[in-house]
Amino acid sequence: MKILIIQPKLEQNITQLEYELRTNPTADAVLFPEGYLNENVEQACALAKYHNKILIGGYRRLNESPKDRAILIDRSGEVVLDRIKYSQTTFKSIEGLKIGHMLCDELVLQGVKNEDTSGIDVIVHPIGVGMFSEEQFDEWINEARKIAVAYKAMIIGASHADGSFRGSGVSIPIAYCFDPSGNAIFISKNDVRTRMLNSAAKTVSFVD
C-alpha cells in the first residue's frame, strides 16, 4: 500500500487535502493530522469516493468532550471507523491490512488499548499540533518505537505543520514511521514536506 503522509496547516476548510488528492493519483491512502477535517467529514467522504482513496486521520465535534475523534474513510466514501478520543483502540481490516488507530497523546497516555492486539499490520497515529519541546519530541519518538516492537507492527504518525499546545509558543512539527522491528523508516522534525510511504517496500520519498 502507498500511503501519502501530509502535514497541512490548520484550516477551516480542507483545501490542502484536496490538492494532495488531486496531485498524487498513485497513493492508496492519505494520513493527515488529528482534528484536521474539523467539521468537513461529509466533504472528505465525497473526496475519498471521487479520488478512490482511503482517508485516515481525525476530526472534531465541537459540542462533545473530548471533541476529537479518530476517523477512517474507505475508497467508497464510507466512514468505517469513528471513535471518540481516549476510548478503546479500534482496528479495521482494510485491503488485507489490520489497521489500529491512535490519536495524538493516546500514544503516551494509554498506548494501544484493546484486549485483542493480535496480527496488527499498521498503527496510524494522527497528531494534533507539534511538540512543545525537544524533550517531548524525543519522548514521543521513543514511545512510538516501543509500540512498533511490542506489537510487531509498522507505526506512522504526523502532526500539523503549525500550531502550539495551549499557547506554549513552541511548535515542533513531527512525523515518523517505524517498521515492525523498531527501525526508523523516517523521523522528521521541522520538515513538513509531503511524503509517500510504500508500506510493502518500507521506503519513503518526498513528493513535490
Side-chain angles (χ1 to χ4, degrees):
M1 180 179 285
K2 291 184 178 180
I3 304 172
L4 197 69
I5 301 164
I6 68 172
Q7 293 188 262
K9 291 183 177 180
L10 290 163
E11 59 179 350
Q12 292 303 308
N13 49 35
I14 50 176
T15 303
Q16 293 162 92
L17 174 61
E18 287 186 80
Y19 171 80
E20 297 293 356
L21 289 170
R22 190 170 61 250
T23 56
N24 293 284
T26 63
D28 297 297
V30 182
L31 174 68
F32 50 86
E34 175 195 62
Y36 170 71
L37 289 187
N38 289 306
E39 296 176 296
N40 300 301
V41 172
E42 186 174 339
Q43 184 184 357
C45 290
L47 288 170
K49 183 176 182 178
Y50 180 80
H51 291 281
N52 191 35
K53 298 286 185 283
I54 301 162
L55 301 183
I56 307 167
Y59 76 103
R60 294 189 176 115
R61 286 187 182 173
L62 297 181
N63 59 340
E64 294 186 3
S65 181
K67 62 182 179 296
D68 286 301
R69 301 181 73 95
I71 192 168
L72 196 158
I73 304 167
D74 70 13
R75 292 181 190 265
S76 68
E78 295 296 319
V79 175
V80 295
L81 184 156
D82 180 1
R83 74 166 181 88
I84 196 165
K85 191 174 182 180
Y86 307 127
S87 62
Q88 182 168 274
T89 307
T90 307
F91 300 100
K92 286 293 177 181
S93 292
I94 300 291
E95 300 186 8
L97 295 177
K98 183 176 180 179
I99 300 176
H101 198 313
M102 290 191 303
L103 279 179
C104 203
D105 59 352
E106 288 182 338
L107 176 80
V108 292
L109 294 181
Q110 67 182 43
V112 177
K113 184 181 177 183
N114 193 303
E115 292 181 2
D116 179 16
T117 58
S118 60
I120 305 171
D121 296 298
V122 181
I123 298 169
V124 292
H125 179 215
I127 304 166
V129 298
M131 303 289 93
F132 58 77
S133 68
E134 295 285 344
E135 291 76 15
Q136 187 196 18
F137 186 96
D138 292 340
E139 177 192 12
W140 284 42
I141 288 296
N142 290 330
E143 193 60 34
R145 188 194 306 270
K146 290 176 186 176
I147 287 174
V149 172
Y151 297 99
K152 297 180 174 60
M154 180 178 287
I155 184 169
I156 314 162
S159 75
H160 285 97
D162 60 349
S164 62
F165 180 70
R166 293 182 180 175
S168 69
V170 176
S171 177
I172 305 171
I174 180 175
Y176 69 84
C177 179
F178 292 103
D179 72 13
S181 298
N183 300 311
I185 296 175
F186 77 91
I187 298 173
S188 170
K189 179 192 296 183
N190 279 321
D191 183 350
V192 298
R193 288 178 289 177
T194 298
R195 293 167 170 83
M196 183 79 80
L197 171 70
N198 185 328
S199 63
K202 298 178 184 176
T203 58
V204 68
S205 57
F206 291 112
V207 176
D208 293 331

